[in-house]
Amino acid sequence: MKTARQAAWKILRSGSTMPLREVDRVAAAYELDDRDRGLLRQLIGTEVRRRGSLRAIAAHFAKGKPSADVAAHLRLGIAQLCFLDRIPPHAAVSETVRSAADTLGLARGRYINGVLRSMQRALRPGYSGDPTRDLVGAGRHFEMPVFRDPTQHPLLWMEDALSMPAALAKRWHKRYGEEQATALARLAVKEPATSLVVLEGEREEVAAQLDLNTTPGTHPRVLLAPRGTLSTVFASEPFRHGRLTVQGETALRAAELLEAQEGERVLDLCAAPGGKTVMLAHAGAQVVAVDVNPTRLAPLEVNLARVGLLERVKTLVSDGCAALAESALFDGVLVDAPCSNTGVLAARPGARWRFGPKQTEELCAIQRSLLEGACKHVRDGGRLVYSVCSIEPEEGPQQVKRFLESHAGWELEEELVALPADAAAGGPLDGGFTARLRRNG
């Protein structure tokens, strides 16, 4: 019988750049029950979020250079021992070794057993105060230095201890300074709280009905719920009756920046999963929601029905504006463009490992194309809002500057830049960039 650990290894060895998206497909192929499906998602999620630390730990305790197949099993075993408290250490070792033996043979299983037990003997409870030994956010440390010294190699330490790729950490160091760059990386290494938006009623009243230890966000309509409580939110009366939805504060402010009004016609490009579409329709606008992926539009329609706004939205499957008539004009257009997601790495941890010059160049080209198509569908005097959940300048301010330099008759009215913050500070949990442009003839 195939196990969750074997399925996790299979996903890691598939070469997928988005392994979390493979979980449901592989779980079905392996015929995993709900419990093992949950373990599989936890294993892959932890590996993705902590990959830099797992690599550094494996490199320290492994003898020689293990093959990619062996290294994948090692990372999964280390993830369980270091970061997954609910798995007993003996089970983490024995089940990982069994999975490795079943997939790679007994000899490699014995090798992995030796590495994991050696690492386990070096683990200690609590923090030592030494950043080369402490497992950030896990309440454990090693008896010897495992990570590189931040006083000598701050960027490499961030990759080892905070699983933030050095190339991305270097950009943040240069832009924000070491202290803020490190703070951003620390936020991204842990699962975030859940950001909720109150659609109807007073925030305090809705919070009381949730029966959760929520905290108010900085936006007057935002509530922050503890991580891992989504099932409770979904089962709550406010959510079931359409008074509450899940959305980040920065994303909410992007939708609000369009200033959609009752009866206006609004175009929402790249609309799925639909949080901004809900806000535009809730403001009273008639919305055309466009997305290239039909499977991502289906949940949007379900959500619109739940909040009672389905009749205000027409969905279209299209790549950009391709499905629109050339003469179609709108009072407002929202371009929520694909991006590197560097403002939401806590929620989308895998994005950090895809970041690089080639990806940035490709994304910027898509963003420019979407802006070029969208601007043609804004009436004279209408608004165009450009939004990304990236904090990289070439995807945000530089895109808008380039657009304005090549398009006469447009002006920048307002732009917002947000960095993610901890729930204890009221958020926002999501970072990003938003700008509103107006067409003046």
Side-chain angles (χ1 to χ4, degrees), residues 196 198 200-214 223 232-244:
L196 308 171
V198 176
E200 301 291 344
E202 296 297 323
R203 179 168 66 176
E204 292 73 17
E205 174 197 353
V206 172
Q209 295 178 17
L210 282 175
D211 195 27
L212 289 171
N213 187 26
T214 59
L223 283 169
T232 303
V233 171
F234 292 158
S236 69
E237 187 275 337
F239 187 85
R240 289 185 290 106
H241 289 84
R243 300 170 61 203
L244 191 68

Side-chain angles (χ1 to χ4, degrees), residues 23 65 218 322 359 368 433:
V23 167
K65 185 177 181 180
T218 56
Q359 187 219 35
R368 288 193 296 271
F433 170 86

Side-chain angles (χ1 to χ4, degrees), residues 136 154 157-158 162 164 169 172-173 176-190 342-343 345-346 352 391 419-423 425 428-429:
V136 175
W157 174 81
M158 286 176 69
L162 302 178
M164 185 57 61
W172 290 358
H173 265 240
Y176 304 119
E178 182 175 348
E179 182 177 352
Q180 189 165 30
T182 303
L184 288 170
R186 285 183 179 274
L187 282 176
V189 82
K190 60 183 180 180
T342 57
L345 293 180
R352 72 193 73 192
I391 57 175
L419 296 180
D422 194 82
L429 307 179

Side-chain angles (χ1 to χ4, degrees), residues 3-319:
T3 67
R5 290 170 176 84
Q6 291 174 349
W9 179 82
K10 180 74 172 179
I11 291 173
L12 295 186
R13 295 303 299 131
S14 71
S16 172
T17 59
M18 297 183 179
L20 280 167
R21 293 190 180 181
E22 298 294 311
V23 167
D24 288 338
R25 181 186 65 80
V26 174
Y30 276 47
E31 299 182 341
L32 300 182
D33 60 22
D34 288 346
R35 180 179 177 183
D36 279 347
R37 185 184 294 258
L39 175 59
L40 172 60
R41 184 170 295 280
Q42 193 174 34
L43 288 170
I44 294 298
T46 304
E47 195 281 333
V48 170
R49 187 177 299 278
R50 298 282 189 166
R51 184 174 295 170
S53 297
L54 300 177
R55 286 173 173 170
I57 295 167
H60 181 87
F61 288 99
K63 295 180 179 179
K65 185 177 181 180
S67 68
D69 284 343
V70 170
H73 277 302
L74 277 176
R75 294 200 305 276
L76 290 169
I78 295 167
Q80 295 167 70
L81 287 168
C82 291
F83 301 110
L84 298 181
D85 292 335
R86 296 184 180 180
I87 299 178
H90 67 86
V93 174
S94 62
E95 293 303 318
T96 299
V97 170
R98 181 180 304 172
S99 176
D102 287 344
T103 53
L104 301 177
L106 289 175
R108 289 181 175 85
R110 286 193 291 269
Y111 170 83
I112 288 170
N113 180 68
V115 175
L116 293 181
R117 294 199 179 280
S118 176
M119 189 215 74
Q120 187 182 7
R121 287 192 294 270
L123 270 178
R124 300 289 182 270
Y127 293 117
S128 69
D130 181 349
T132 69
R133 297 193 287 147
D134 286 342
L135 288 168
V136 175
R140 298 183 178 90
H141 70 276
F142 291 105
E143 65 177 6
M144 76 288 285
V146 171
F147 305 136
R148 283 167 282 198
D149 189 340
T151 63
Q152 299 179 23
H153 307 287
L155 302 180
L156 297 177
W157 174 81
M158 286 176 69
E159 184 161 313
D160 287 353
L162 302 178
S163 292
M164 185 57 61
L168 189 52
K170 183 178 181 179
R171 291 169 62 92
W172 290 358
H173 265 240
K174 184 177 180 180
R175 198 180 319 142
Y176 304 119
E178 182 175 348
E179 182 177 352
Q180 189 165 30
T182 303
L184 288 170
R186 285 183 179 274
L187 282 176
V189 82
K190 60 183 180 180
E191 288 187 60
T194 299
S195 182
L196 308 171
V197 176
V198 176
L199 295 174
E200 301 291 344
E202 296 297 323
R203 179 168 66 176
E204 292 73 17
E205 174 197 353
V206 172
Q209 295 178 17
L210 282 175
D211 195 27
L212 289 171
N213 187 26
T214 59
T215 57
T218 56
H219 190 288
R221 293 167 64 188
V222 169
L223 283 169
L224 303 178
R227 65 183 180 91
T229 58
L230 264 182
S231 59
T232 303
V233 171
F234 292 158
S236 69
E237 187 275 337
F239 187 85
R240 289 185 290 106
H241 289 84
R243 300 170 61 203
L244 191 68
T245 192
V246 178
Q247 187 177 45
E249 179 180 324
T250 301
L252 168 61
R253 293 189 186 276
E256 290 179 333
L257 196 63
L258 191 63
E259 297 183 344
Q261 304 294 318
E262 184 79 32
E264 285 191 324
R265 296 184 69 245
V266 169
L267 173 64
D268 185 5
L269 287 179
C270 311
K276 296 181 181 69
T277 307
V278 168
M279 295 305 149
L280 298 174
H282 187 262
Q286 296 294 317
V287 185
V288 176
V290 179
D291 200 274
V292 70
N293 189 338
T295 61
R296 298 186 73 211
L297 278 176
L300 165 58
E301 294 177 345
V302 171
N303 199 32
L304 286 166
R306 179 182 63 83
V307 297
L309 296 171
L310 188 59
E311 75 283 355
R312 292 185 183 174
V313 179
K314 176 184 179 181
T315 58
L316 286 177
V317 178
S318 176
D319 185 1

Side-chain angles (χ1 to χ4, degrees), residues 329-331 378-383 409 438-441:
L329 295 178
F330 297 84
D331 299 291
V378 180
R379 66 165 176 81
D380 286 348
R383 296 94 62 203
R438 188 172 295 274
R439 184 172 197 168
N440 294 318

